[in-house]
Amino acid sequence: MRPTALIPALCCAGALILSFLCLFAGHKKGFMEDYHMLTLNTSRLGENLVNSSLTDSGGPLSSIWNSIPTDIQNDVGEAIGVVTERLGIEDFYSAHILDYCYGQYVPAEAANATVSASDIHKNLTGCSNRTAMFWFNPNEILENALNQSGVDVTLDDLEWPADIQRGLDALRVIWKVAFVLYCIAITLIGIALIAALPAIFASGRLAACLNLMIAILAFIAIGLASALTTAVIVKGADVVNQYGDDVGVQAHKGGKFLAITWAATGLMLVVLVLWSVEICFGHRRRKTYVPAKHG
Ligand SMILES: *[C@@H]1O[C@H](CO)[C@@H](O)[C@H](O)[C@H]1NC(C)=O
Ligand SMILES: *[C@@H]1O[C@H](CO)[C@@H](O)[C@H](O)[C@H]1NC(C)=O
Ligand SMILES: *[C@@H]1O[C@H](CO)[C@@H](O)[C@H](O)[C@H]1NC(C)=O
Ligand SMILES: *[C@@H]1O[C@H](CO)[C@@H](O)[C@H](O)[C@H]1NC(C)=O
Ligand SMILES: *[C@@H]1O[C@H](CO)[C@@H](O)[C@H](O)[C@H]1NC(C)=O
């Protein structure tokens, strides 16, 4: 009997749950939406067009613009809200490992004198279909939205920067590798959990060594997955914020996602350390006990 083996087993169980949540957060509408990787705030997309429509009634927006009541036209913020709605563009698009979700900010898109930033919530409209090798492609998402709304405005008219897409395309392979690594990590952590259970009852050095080996592999898999998703989140948000600023697009990093993926990695590190300690000191402890029993 080795009750100390209960601790790595519990840590494995925790890491298993957390890595499952990393993979499945946001996989359907309303399930852990806060645990997104990246959120694109597109509520001000088209601001530059609205600004130019104010002075010049021609341009790509003319047909939409002329149908908007004059009192709304005079309030730039409200006018952008109406324009993006007509264009079929949502306030935000949030990327998860398996899909993306979209919706509106309520009660307002931006903080003002009466609505503070902490009062603004996401109201989800829906999520895309889940796909194993998902790739977040805002270019395609926005183009589809424009096509579906049937307006005569293209992504070029909105001056959507090609650099955003170029920057995100560079992360495509990393995103897919991260997905595969999460699947491998979940499998290995599951094996580590199962392997830790017999070690509670059988106190052999072999069991501890076997557990240590599995724990090392699981730690590497979840650690790499966390490192790659961190790179995607940090680099992706930087690219969007750098090039999107001119057209009113912002990106938010998924802090909560980073927290749970690194917590899972931390738990597996604890497991790894505990098995190493068990191998080094557990053995010595038994050695001193054995003569005592027989003597
Ligand atoms: C649009 O106009 C407002 C003020 O009317 C200004 O604050 C904003 O920066 C302008 N946006 C762009 C993209 O030019
Ligand atoms: C702030 O936004 C809310 C929601 O759109 C609106 O009802 C309110 O009038 C705005 N307040 C100011 C001071 O603009
Ligand atoms: C969305 O972006 C606009 C400007 O791009 C900003 O004013 C607004 O506060 C943002 N809204 C949220 C909820 O982040
Ligand atoms: C959220 O959106 C749904 C429709 O998608 C709407 O019925 C509901 O009133 C919205 N909630 C808020 C708080 O605006
Ligand atoms: C999502 O899946 C449903 C059925 O499973 C299908 O009808 C629909 O076309 C799919 N949507 C997209 C965008 O692929």
Side-chain angles (χ1 to χ4, degrees):
M1 185 78 178
R2 178 160 44 181
T4 47
L6 210 54
I7 301 169
L10 287 176
C11 289
C12 284
L16 189 62
I17 292 170
L18 288 176
S19 32
F20 254 114
L21 292 181
C22 289
L23 199 53
F24 287 106
H27 80 288
K28 63 179 184 199
K29 189 180 159 186
F31 181 73
M32 296 176 72
E33 165 57 30
D34 283 350
Y35 293 77
H36 56 86
M37 289 175 70
L38 282 173
T39 291
L40 256 53
N41 169 357
T42 47
S43 61
R44 293 275 150 163
L45 185 60
E47 186 175 52
N48 45 1
L49 280 191
V50 168
N51 277 7
S52 60
S53 296
L54 283 172
T55 49
D56 167 20
S57 57
L61 274 189
S62 56
S63 60
I64 295 178
W65 191 252
N66 295 331
S67 68
I68 296 178
T70 326
D71 56 325
I72 293 181
Q73 284 185 6
N74 292 334
D75 182 339
V76 176
E78 206 164 324
I80 294 165
V82 174
V83 166
T84 51
E85 195 180 310
R86 298 271 170 95
L87 293 175
I89 293 174
E90 302 278 353
D91 279 354
F92 67 83
Y93 293 90
S94 57
H96 303 277
I97 297 248
L98 297 175
D99 66 351
Y100 69 89
C101 296
Y102 45 89
Q104 303 285 324
Y105 286 122
V106 287
E109 280 110 40
N112 64 17
T114 51
V115 178
S116 71
S118 58
D119 289 337
I120 298 178
H121 296 290
K122 285 166 156 182
N123 189 12
L124 283 182
T125 307
C127 295
S128 70
N129 285 346
R130 246 175 301 151
T131 42
M133 284 292 186
F134 170 69
W135 168 235
F136 183 53
N137 189 340
N139 227 354
E140 194 182 291
I141 294 168
L142 292 173
E143 233 154 36
N144 284 342
L146 291 174
N147 285 344
Q148 268 175 21
S149 67
V151 291
D152 192 20
V153 177
T154 64
L155 218 45
D156 288 339
D157 293 333
L158 291 173
E159 291 167 30
W160 177 258
D163 283 324
I164 288 187
Q165 197 56 41
R166 234 169 274 143
L168 290 179
D169 276 344
L171 302 173
R172 180 203 301 250
V173 174
I174 304 181
W175 193 300
K176 293 186 173 184
V177 171
F179 164 75
V180 173
L181 279 171
Y182 273 114
C183 296
I184 294 173
I186 286 172
T187 311
L188 286 171
I189 295 172
I191 295 173
L193 173 60
I194 294 168
L197 296 180
I200 297 173
F201 303 104
S203 57
R205 205 175 178 194
L206 185 69
C209 286
L210 195 68
N211 269 289
L212 178 62
M213 258 157 52
I214 300 166
I216 290 173
L217 292 178
F219 171 71
I220 291 173
I222 189 71
L224 269 179
S226 302
L228 291 184
T229 46
T230 304
V232 167
I233 289 171
V234 171
K235 191 81 188 97
D238 283 354
V239 163
V240 173
N241 285 330
Q242 184 184 348
Y243 299 110
D245 201 35
D246 294 340
V247 290
V249 175
Q250 280 183 353
H252 303 292
K253 297 187 184 90
K256 288 183 177 175
F257 179 90
L258 288 178
I260 57 172
T261 191
W262 284 109
T265 309
L267 284 175
M268 287 319 288
L269 182 63
V270 170
V271 172
L272 195 159
V273 169
L274 286 176
W275 284 124
S276 309
V277 170
E278 180 67 31
I279 289 170
C280 295
F281 299 104
H283 185 62
R284 194 177 302 162
R285 192 182 57 212
R286 272 192 300 280
K287 240 183 189 170
T288 52
Y289 278 151
V290 171
K293 252 189 216 164
H294 292 283

